[in-house]
């Protein structure tokens, strides 16, 4: 059974940085494009960023372009999300999962495996 574990969230002031990590056990990690989603209270889950199986291509939602960087280390079977210049509107629970690649019509499509998520809170 695939287990997804996200980590690295926390409380940070606006303008600060965080680095999220995600591992997925029992998953042939480098067979899949991977991505990050987030969900704020009272809002729908939103695709934030994703990366192709080999890291050669990436996608970002407009609201995080230039501030977030997604990367992966297939040898460590780990996905990362470096978040800089954080804003209060980035506050959400962040999740990682496998995604359908490529992204079409700016809509990230998630796979079936979800972890518990990691909370990111940005204070103003």
């Amino acid at each position: 059974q695939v287990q997804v574990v996200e980590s690295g969230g926390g409380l940070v002031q606006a303008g600060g940085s965080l680095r999220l990590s995600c591992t997925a056990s029992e998953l042939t990690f480098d067979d899949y494009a991977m991505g990050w989603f987030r969900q704020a209270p009272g809002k729908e889950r939103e695709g934030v960023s994703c990366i192709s199986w080999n890291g050669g291509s990436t996608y970002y939602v407009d609201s995080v372009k230039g501030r977030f960087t997604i990367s992966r280390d297939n040898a460590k079977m780990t996905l990362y999300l470096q978040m800089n210049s954080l804003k209060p509107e980035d506050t959400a629970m962040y999740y990682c999962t496998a995604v359908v690649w490529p992204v079409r019509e700016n809509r990230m499509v998630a796979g079936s495996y979800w972890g518990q998520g990691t909370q990111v809170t940005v204070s103003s």
Side-chain angles (χ1 to χ4, degrees), residues 33-37 47-53 55 57-61 70-72 79 81 97-104 107-109:
M34 297 291 295
W36 290 95
F37 289 74
V48 175
S49 179
C50 55
I51 188 168
S52 61
W53 69 273
S57 297
T58 57
Y59 166 85
Y60 298 93
V61 70
I70 192 170
S71 61
R72 64 190 297 163
L79 177 72
L81 186 67
T97 187
V99 298
V100 175
W101 187 266
V103 176
R104 300 187 188 278
R107 180 171 174 265
M108 285 174 52
V109 177

Side-chain angles (χ1 to χ4, degrees), residues 57-113:
S57 297
T58 57
Y59 166 85
Y60 298 93
V61 70
D62 284 348
S63 59
V64 308
K65 282 181 181 176
R67 300 188 298 121
F68 289 11
T69 302
I70 192 170
S71 61
R72 64 190 297 163
D73 185 333
N74 285 346
K76 295 182 178 179
M77 296 191 294
T78 303
L79 177 72
Y80 303 101
L81 186 67
Q82 178 67 45
M83 305 187 296
N84 298 330
S85 302
L86 282 161
K87 303 176 180 180
E89 51 263 44
D90 295 317
T91 295
M93 187 72 79
Y94 283 70
Y95 303 88
C96 84
T97 187
V99 298
V100 175
W101 187 266
V103 176
R104 300 187 188 278
E105 299 180 347
N106 292 316
R107 180 171 174 265
M108 285 174 52
V109 177
S112 303
Y113 306 111

Side-chain angles (χ1 to χ4, degrees), residues 37-40 43-47 93 95 97 110 113-115:
F37 289 74
R38 65 186 179 187
Q39 188 166 21
K43 294 188 177 181
E44 292 188 354
R45 190 170 291 182
E46 171 190 37
M93 187 72 79
Y95 303 88
T97 187
Y113 306 111
W114 295 94

